[in-house]
Amino acid sequence: MSETTVDSAPLPPPGATSDPLLRIRGLRKRYGSKTVLNRIDLDVAAHQVVCLIGASGSGKSTLLRCIDLLEEIDDGTIHLGEVELSDPALDADAARRRIGVVFQAYNLFPHLTVLDNITLAPRRVHRKARRDAEAEARELLERFGLADKAAEYPDRLSGGQQQRAAIVRALATEPELLLLDEITSALDPELVGEVLEVVGELKRRGFTIVMATHEMGFARHAADQVCFLEDGVVREHGTAEQIFTDPREPATRRFLARVLDH
């Protein structure tokens, strides 16, 4: 998708549905005089995986932080279902309960066991009984190959195991939308595949995912839609097949040639 001109009405992005789960229109974000996101339009249908690609500093992580209300936007709207997340009157904490986020830094509490890390939000925020929260957490740990790590502390786990535990923690709140921010960037190369396999499993299970990633092979084979950002602007947005085999924008072609050659 080409950049929308400032004075035109935003158009639904390619692949938009009549009733998307996530709908972003005209989103702008500035830090002082610097515009880091400019008129972002994006639709994400339920059960879709959308990969955000682009060079470091292109705005991918900032976009995810805006969706999760960790950053205040300067203009535009963000809807999750029928709820406008960008409404200043919205209870942000209540909205975040519908969204799971995993960052490139695992952000596990070092003084808590893996099981306690995973059950903290279900118990404290969602008011689940400890017994129920722990039963569900153990089921998730089993599903993602961490059943024997429930009583371990994070520093006893490998990087891949810590990142899998962080994903399980996000899933424990049963989110409608899962945001993954460069979750393989801090991993050794041999651990990247381990974590991406978990994301592939989430796709097969029908989770709705928006993922910022530098893993072009994964984006090509796993994404339903790919969104290429450059300098805070969506330069192109389409299916993974179209973006990787027939990119329409020169900027997309230059970026892919550079990263794929590398």
Side-chain angles (χ1 to χ4, degrees), residues 106-123 130 133-134 136-142 144-170 172:
Y106 322 123
N107 292 335
L108 296 170
F109 293 109
H111 63 292
L112 299 179
T113 66
V114 169
L115 184 64
D116 286 339
N117 264 282
I118 293 168
T119 59
L120 184 63
R123 291 190 293 108
R130 177 182 289 273
E134 291 187 350
E136 292 171 9
R138 290 184 187 279
E139 181 180 338
L140 285 168
L141 289 169
E142 174 73 30
F144 294 107
L146 293 171
D148 61 337
K149 305 299 181 184
E152 297 281 8
Y153 288 90
D155 63 358
R156 299 291 300 273
L157 273 59
S158 71
Q161 290 169 336
Q162 289 188 61
Q163 195 59 287
R164 277 189 283 155
I167 293 171
V168 169
R169 180 176 61 179

Side-chain angles (χ1 to χ4, degrees), residues 11-242:
L11 298 174
T17 64
S18 59
D19 190 22
L21 176 65
L22 177 68
R23 185 172 72 256
I24 300 173
R25 291 291 182 270
L27 188 151
R28 279 199 181 101
K29 173 63 185 175
R30 300 183 186 90
Y31 293 121
S33 61
K34 181 177 176 58
T35 299
V36 293
L37 294 173
N38 191 20
R39 293 189 65 83
I40 300 293
D41 295 344
L42 179 66
D43 281 358
V44 180
H47 314 302
Q48 271 198 338
V49 174
V50 174
C51 282
L52 309 178
I53 65 172
S56 296
S58 60
K60 304 185 301 295
S61 295
T62 302
L63 177 55
L64 295 181
R65 291 177 63 84
C66 287
I67 295 170
D68 195 45
L69 307 180
L70 295 172
E71 298 283 356
E72 184 177 342
I73 68 174
D74 294 293
D75 197 10
T77 59
I78 305 172
H79 283 82
L80 181 60
E82 298 302 316
V83 176
E84 183 184 346
L85 301 181
S86 49
D87 181 355
L90 181 74
D91 181 344
D93 289 337
R96 289 194 192 101
R97 292 171 194 160
R98 303 171 61 189
I99 302 172
V101 187
V102 184
F103 299 101
Q104 55 184 295
Y106 322 123
N107 292 335
L108 296 170
F109 293 109
H111 63 292
L112 299 179
T113 66
V114 169
L115 184 64
D116 286 339
N117 264 282
I118 293 168
T119 59
L120 184 63
R123 291 190 293 108
R124 297 285 183 87
V125 178
H126 294 265
R127 304 299 182 186
K128 282 189 177 180
R130 177 182 289 273
R131 179 182 300 177
D132 294 339
E134 291 187 350
E136 292 171 9
R138 290 184 187 279
E139 181 180 338
L140 285 168
L141 289 169
E142 174 73 30
R143 187 181 302 167
F144 294 107
L146 293 171
D148 61 337
K149 305 299 181 184
E152 297 281 8
Y153 288 90
D155 63 358
R156 299 291 300 273
L157 273 59
S158 71
Q161 290 169 336
Q162 289 188 61
Q163 195 59 287
R164 277 189 283 155
I167 293 171
V168 169
R169 180 176 61 179
L171 297 180
T173 59
E174 302 176 5
E176 297 174 50
L177 175 66
L178 188 60
L179 307 177
L180 306 179
D181 185 13
E182 303 285 8
I183 59 172
T184 60
S185 293
L187 298 178
D188 293 332
E190 63 269 22
L191 300 176
V192 170
E194 168 186 323
V195 172
L196 292 180
E197 185 177 340
V198 171
V199 181
E201 174 65 14
L202 298 178
K203 173 182 170 64
R204 290 188 290 273
R205 292 179 178 273
F207 280 87
T208 306
I209 300 172
V210 181
M211 177 179 182
T213 185
H214 288 296
E215 300 295 334
M216 295 298 105
F218 180 84
R220 181 169 189 165
H221 295 291
D224 298 294
Q225 300 284 326
V226 173
C227 187
F228 169 59
L229 284 85
E230 183 185 56
D231 297 328
V233 174
V234 175
R235 298 296 184 189
E236 191 164 357
H237 179 201
T239 65
E241 178 70 15
Q242 180 262 306

